[in-house]
Amino acid sequence: MARIYMHSALTCSTNLGFHFRSSSSHLHRLIFPTSLTLPHAKTQSSWTGRRVVAMDSSGTDSAKEVHVGLDSATEEEYATQSKLLQEFMSIPTLDKAWILSSDSGSQAMVAMSQANLLANKRRKFMLSALISKDETTSNQSSVNFHWAPFPVEMTGASAFVPSPSGLKLLVIRNPENESPTKFEIWSSSQLDKEFHIPQKVHGSVYLDGWFEGISWNSDETRVAYVAEEPSPPKPTFDHLGFYKKGTSSDKDIGSWKGQGDWEDEWGEAYAGKKQPALFVIDVDSGEVEHIKGVPRSISVGQVVWSPNSKGSAQYLVFAGWLGDKRKLGLKHCYNRPCAIYAVRCPEPKDDANEALPIHNLTKSISSGFCPRFSKDGKFLLFLSAKAAVDSGAHCSTESLHKISWPSDGKLPESTNIVDVIEVVNCPDDGCFPGLYVTGLLSDPWLSDGHTLILSSYWRSCRVILSLNLISGELSRVSPNDSDFSWSVLALDGDNVVAVSSSPVSVPEIKYGKKVLDPSGKPSWHWSTIQKPIFKCSEKVASGLSSLQFKILKVPVSNVSECLTEGAKRPFEAIYVSSSKTKENGKCDPLVVVLHGGPHTVAPCSFSKQLAYLSSIGYSLLIVNYRGSLGFGEDALQSVPGKIGSQDVNDVLSAVDHAVEMGLADPSRITVLGGSHGGFLTTHLIGQAPDKFVAAAARNPVCNIASMVGITDIPDWCFFEAYGDQTHYTEAPSPEDMSLFHQISPISHISKVKTPTLFLLGTVDLRVPISNGFQYVRALKEKGADVKVLVFPNDNHSLDRPQTDYESFLNIAVWFNKYCKL
């Protein structure tokens, strides 16, 4: 029987994370004047930027819109920059990959997406390739991917999941309105089945990468998945306002629906999502069963089937998050208590109305997610963010654990949890810094059944690791001498298909062949798949070819104040620059790039947006200040209680370090950050007002005191301010509010004189737009040079295609203006 391996692309962006002087008193609120159209004016394949609205001297909107024209030079710059930016934005992204293995060979399927600016969506398509191997020499065999001549666009498809044998393909189409969810079962040549699941059964299937869980059973007759539970019926009133008893159709004439009871949601990016629940569909009949027994206080996700042992019960195993008191924001927040649960899969003999018992398999640990069964079904492996849950940090060093799975299917009252990889506090130089995974392949095992392949952050890089669960040996699969970032995509038997990139190199598909040395120790011989699937224009390729990068180790400036050994170790910054020698010996202007979180990391991987800035003449200093992932738990936990000071000083130390090394011109330094990176950006222009000639902040945290009552993660405010979670309350005291203000950028606003561009999303639940506007209006009050771009349909990430495009176009023009580039 063939096997299939699957990978879901992961992003590293935590709770407050983005994976990255003028006398004028005009405040620009939106993006472009009415005359500017992108990308090609006066054609049907264009879209128009928003109007500029003038503000009067008091900082309020004037009564009418006015046409604000651009001078010809500025208009020409927008036109020139937009053309190059579009070429970068057209580079596709790899979303998922599968390897279908059979006796006749292996086939790769790669799901990709590309920005569709006109539609403001991502266009999804599928590539496929036959894999051939020349085994003439054992250690140097060549591998070729024979790609199909053209990709196939997957219009309207929300998800596609091949079955374990690779003989069936499940396609799910989530509705954009109240229409049914569509399930399609495809064979190799045709559509075999199509089922429409109405809203009264369940809403959209979760495909968020966190609650998401779509799992075929071993005989490929049923699929378990997570979908939105139907909302409770709302009260109905007739045309006179009289309450109507019983249920009624939404289309009843002469009646109207009330709102009913308010239901809590899981915060940022989960608007309208209230109760993820567990369902099973029979792929032959289309019958859908809502798995009963899971209380509404548990939100389920990441479901997998237990091994199918003859004569024993089969279980659905899943992660569950408690939301009984309040559903705090879950997106990128690993400090939410969760556990691994099991519920027996219903059988025909069961009473359809009877709730089946639910078993908590991880009672003795505060966090358990991403369950995976071993190949032989003897144990269940899972990840844990217990360091985050127990401390309060929204993301932290992870651990890996396993429990034995009973062969008879009878689950015990308690389980013995075995630690496989523990939290690393203070790693030695060059040694494993701890686990920073956030997810595993659906089948992460080599053929021996006990070697696990995974990707994890290792300081400022992402690496591929192998873990032998018998010996406990952990080793790097990706090359030890590589400063590129590597992520495993899929497994082809004992070989690894991966993607590798750097800040100056577009991603490449790599194939790692497992070889054994004379002692029997495995290693991997890597080759590059020749035909690139991440194509870029000649202009982009030429620009990237003239760039270089290196990782700088930045000494800690205040070692005496550090409480732990790990916090005293140097942190890192990635420096990207032109490889060409300047005739005048001057450095290019520098953009200091600050990631959010603070507990995330900016790895040495390709970013279209940052590569674009590099290509137009900027050097980059991407700072992984203490508190970032990948450096051990001591360094990560050193910043809570010191935000606004330690992290700010780390950034200033990195900038000074670059200047001292002759890598930056101190008169042409700009700063760019989002979320907590925006918090640092607005802090820096207040605490070091003469350091930066221009700044750009994306959905920044500017005033924690005004944020705490309206954000979806108020616990973040308390934890990062105090350094522990014991102070958290829904009713902050005057002392709390005073501290929040003291550590916020707004407390330094009187000193700000750096021209600053703000990019704000109207539907941001994490750092609501009022937080940025308060800071902007305070700057306006003191006559600072400010520009604001408002995106009415964007949340915290600001990642919709048009928003992403317009944001970095304006960032480039803004920085060019003040760097005189």
Side-chain angles (χ1 to χ4, degrees):
M1 179 175 287
R3 296 187 302 277
I4 182 167
Y5 306 91
M6 176 180 172
H7 166 74
S8 295
L10 300 172
T11 58
C12 182
S13 168
T14 61
N15 50 297
L16 286 172
F18 288 104
H19 185 62
F20 332 145
R21 258 158 237 66
S22 171
S23 60
S24 171
S25 62
H26 293 292
L27 178 63
H28 307 289
R29 286 191 56 222
L30 297 179
I31 300 173
F32 298 117
T34 55
S35 60
L36 188 59
T37 302
L38 298 173
H40 304 294
K42 298 181 181 179
T43 70
Q44 290 184 344
S45 59
S46 65
W47 49 278
T48 304
R50 302 171 184 82
R51 293 178 179 177
V52 172
V53 180
M55 276 191 165
D56 62 26
S57 59
S58 66
T60 58
D61 294 351
S62 57
K64 62 180 182 179
E65 289 184 346
V66 295
H67 183 280
V68 182
L70 292 177
D71 60 77
S72 58
T74 305
E75 192 169 47
E76 181 63 29
E77 183 174 15
Y78 271 114
T80 302
Q81 295 296 343
S82 65
K83 183 178 180 181
L84 179 60
L85 179 59
Q86 190 277 333
E87 293 184 24
F88 273 94
M89 291 301 187
S90 66
I91 299 172
T93 300
L94 194 154
D95 299 322
K96 294 182 180 180
W98 303 264
I99 300 295
L100 308 178
S101 300
S102 66
D103 294 337
S104 59
S106 301
Q107 180 173 347
M109 292 175 59
V110 180
M112 304 191 73
S113 61
Q114 189 175 25
N116 182 344
L117 287 173
L118 188 62
N120 203 15
K121 294 180 179 180
R122 295 198 64 82
R123 179 179 281 113
K124 298 180 180 180
F125 56 96
M126 186 82 78
L127 286 168
S128 60
L130 292 174
I131 303 174
S132 66
K133 305 163 191 171
D134 181 2
E135 303 289 352
T136 54
T137 59
S138 60
N139 287 352
Q140 299 294 326
S141 62
S142 62
V143 176
N144 291 298
F145 279 50
H146 304 278
W147 296 99
F150 303 104
V152 177
E153 185 171 5
M154 308 298 287
T155 305
S158 304
F160 13 88
V161 185
S163 65
S165 69
L167 299 176
K168 298 178 182 179
L169 177 68
L170 168 65
V171 178
I172 297 176
R173 302 181 189 273
N174 276 332
E176 294 186 356
N177 46 38
E178 296 301 311
S179 302
T181 301
K182 297 179 182 179
F183 283 69
E184 299 169 359
I185 308 297
W186 291 79
S187 61
S188 60
S189 59
Q190 65 182 23
L191 175 66
D192 287 343
K193 302 279 185 178
E194 181 175 1
F195 308 112
H196 293 200
I197 313 303
Q199 293 281 326
K200 65 181 181 180
V201 176
H202 64 65
S204 294
V205 175
Y206 276 81
L207 303 169
D208 60 319
W210 194 234
F211 287 123
E212 177 180 353
I214 304 171
S215 180
W216 288 84
N217 68 347
S218 58
D219 59 10
E220 302 184 359
T221 58
R222 293 190 288 181
V223 174
Y225 59 96
V226 178
E228 179 69 12
E229 188 174 280
S231 299
K234 295 181 178 180
T236 305
F237 305 89
D238 67 15
H239 66 290
L240 297 175
F242 295 125
Y243 179 83
K244 297 182 69 174
K245 297 180 179 179
T247 59
S248 61
S249 169
D250 289 337
K251 298 180 181 180
D252 281 353
I253 298 175
S255 66
W256 52 278
K257 292 280 188 183
Q259 293 301 312
D261 292 348
W262 172 81
E263 285 189 271
D264 208 353
E265 300 174 353
W266 281 109
E268 171 68 19
Y270 288 103
K273 301 289 188 180
K274 300 177 175 66
Q275 190 64 41
L278 192 55
F279 296 86
V280 172
I281 185 171
D282 185 303
V283 299
D284 291 322
S285 67
E287 181 182 353
V288 175
E289 187 163 8
H290 181 185
I291 303 302
K292 298 178 175 63
V294 182
R296 282 184 60 84
S297 60
I298 296 176
S299 292
V300 307
Q302 306 176 356
V303 60
V304 296
W305 294 83
S306 72
N308 189 8
S309 300
K310 189 174 182 179
S312 64
Q314 191 168 21
Y315 287 83
L316 295 170
V317 177
F318 56 91
W321 289 263
L322 292 174
D324 47 354
K325 293 182 179 179
R326 173 179 175 174
K327 292 178 179 176
L328 293 165
L330 188 66
K331 182 80 170 178
H332 306 308
C333 295
Y334 296 89
N335 63 328
R336 307 299 176 222
C338 56
I340 304 295
Y341 296 92
V343 62
R344 183 170 60 79
C345 187
E347 299 175 356
K349 62 181 182 180
D350 293 329
D351 184 346
N353 297 316
E354 182 182 354
L356 298 171
I358 183 173
H359 304 266
N360 185 340
L361 304 177
T362 56
K363 293 177 183 177
S364 61
I365 194 170
S366 58
S367 170
F369 62 95
C370 202
R372 295 291 185 270
F373 281 96
S374 59
K375 276 187 176 295
D376 59 13
K378 291 183 178 180
F379 62 86
L380 175 66
L381 195 77
F382 65 93
L383 290 168
S384 176
K386 62 177 183 177
V389 175
D390 296 346
S391 69
H394 281 67
C395 197
S396 192
T397 314
E398 294 168 333
S399 51
L400 187 69
H401 309 268
K402 68 177 182 178
I403 58 176
S404 297
W405 189 260
S407 58
D408 59 3
K410 296 179 180 179
L411 298 180
E413 286 295 321
S414 62
T415 54
N416 179 37
I417 297 176
V418 177
D419 299 335
V420 179
I421 297 179
E422 298 185 76
V423 171
V424 176
N425 290 313
C426 183
D428 294 330
D429 291 342
C431 294
F432 175 60
L435 200 59
Y436 306 91
V437 179
T438 69
L440 298 170
L441 297 179
S442 61
D443 187 351
W445 305 101
L446 297 185
S447 60
D448 59 17
H450 57 256
T451 300
L452 178 75
I453 303 294
L454 51 84
S455 305
S456 181
Y457 291 104
W458 188 304
R459 301 183 71 82
S460 293
C461 296
R462 190 167 172 86
V463 303
I464 302 175
L465 303 172
S466 72
L467 172 66
N468 187 311
L469 267 70
I470 295 177
S471 67
E473 181 181 5
L474 184 73
S475 59
R476 283 176 70 156
V477 172
S478 51
N480 287 320
D481 58 353
S482 174
D483 280 339
F484 283 42
S485 280
W486 295 67
S487 292
V488 59
L489 296 175
L491 301 180
D492 182 17
D494 281 341
N495 303 321
V496 178
V497 181
V499 62
S500 172
S501 71
S502 80
V504 302
S505 307
V506 296
E508 289 184 322
I509 301 294
K510 303 283 189 177
Y511 192 91
K513 185 180 187 303
K514 181 182 176 183
V515 294
L516 300 177
D517 63 18
S519 67
K521 185 176 181 180
S523 62
W524 273 263
H525 170 73
W526 288 98
S527 57
T528 301
I529 302 307
Q530 293 304 311
K531 181 180 177 181
I533 62 174
F534 298 93
K535 289 187 176 180
C536 56
S537 69
E538 290 185 8
K539 192 169 184 179
V540 169
S542 176
L544 292 175
S545 68
S546 65
L547 299 176
Q548 60 187 357
F549 80 98
K550 57 184 174 182
I551 300 174
L552 308 178
K553 292 193 180 300
V554 184
V556 172
S557 61
N558 54 344
V559 172
S560 61
E561 299 177 14
C562 300
L563 300 179
T564 60
E565 282 301 314
K568 299 176 183 178
R569 304 286 178 86
F571 58 96
E572 292 182 347
I574 305 164
Y575 178 70
V576 184
S577 65
S578 171
S579 58
K580 297 179 180 178
T581 304
K582 300 294 180 182
E583 293 181 3
N584 55 12
K586 286 189 175 181
C587 298
D588 288 330
L590 181 73
V591 180
V592 180
V593 182
L594 305 173
H595 68 69
H599 310 301
T600 181
V601 64
C604 282
S605 58
F606 185 73
S607 161
K608 289 174 276 191
Q609 299 85 347
L610 297 184
Y612 160 69
L613 293 178
S614 297
S615 72
I616 62 174
Y618 288 94
S619 296
L620 306 178
L621 188 68
I622 307 167
V623 185
N624 284 319
Y625 47 87
R626 284 174 295 167
S628 302
L629 302 178
F631 294 81
E633 190 67 5
D634 280 359
L636 187 145
Q637 293 288 352
S638 68
V639 76
K642 299 178 182 178
I643 59 167
S645 54
Q646 177 179 294
D647 45 3
V648 171
N649 289 332
D650 280 358
V651 176
L652 292 173
S653 294
V655 173
D656 291 343
H657 186 66
V659 171
E660 291 166 4
M661 293 180 66
L663 304 177
D665 177 355
S667 67
R668 291 198 298 172
I669 300 176
T670 66
V671 60
L672 164 64
S675 195
H676 189 82
F679 171 86
L680 292 174
T681 296
T682 46
H683 253 304
L684 287 161
I685 61 176
Q687 294 192 42
D690 298 313
K691 198 86 168 178
F692 305 94
V693 296
R698 308 177 69 207
N699 280 337
V701 177
C702 299
N703 186 355
I704 299 176
S706 64
M707 171 185 163
V708 67
I710 53 176
T711 178
D712 67 328
I713 52 168
D715 59 316
W716 178 93
C717 303
F718 285 89
F719 176 73
E720 298 297 346
Y722 285 102
D724 62 57
Q725 55 185 333
T726 60
H727 292 79
Y728 171 54
T729 174
E730 293 286 351
S733 68
E735 292 75 22
D736 295 332
M737 301 298 276
S738 176
L739 175 61
F740 294 157
H741 184 271
Q742 289 171 26
I743 63 174
S744 295
I746 202 165
S747 66
H748 299 279
I749 201 163
S750 63
K751 297 174 283 185
V752 175
K753 50 189 176 183
T754 304
T756 306
L757 168 66
F758 288 84
L759 305 104
L760 307 175
T762 301
V763 293
D764 185 351
L765 299 180
R766 187 129 303 176
V767 187
I769 193 171
S770 58
N771 205 260
F773 267 135
Q774 181 191 25
Y775 189 87
V776 164
R777 287 167 176 145
L779 286 178
K780 169 64 181 175
E781 186 178 51
K782 65 188 294 293
D785 190 5
V786 181
K787 180 174 179 176
V788 182
L789 281 62
V790 176
F791 301 97
N793 298 307
D794 278 80
N795 58 20
H796 192 58
S797 60
L798 295 178
D799 60 358
R800 283 153 49 94
Q802 289 180 6
T803 300
D804 196 21
Y805 180 88
E806 293 184 47
S807 295
F808 279 88
L809 176 61
N810 278 273
I811 288 169
V813 172
W814 186 256
F815 285 174
N816 287 353
K817 176 181 177 180
Y818 295 99
C819 290
K820 298 179 174 55
L821 191 63

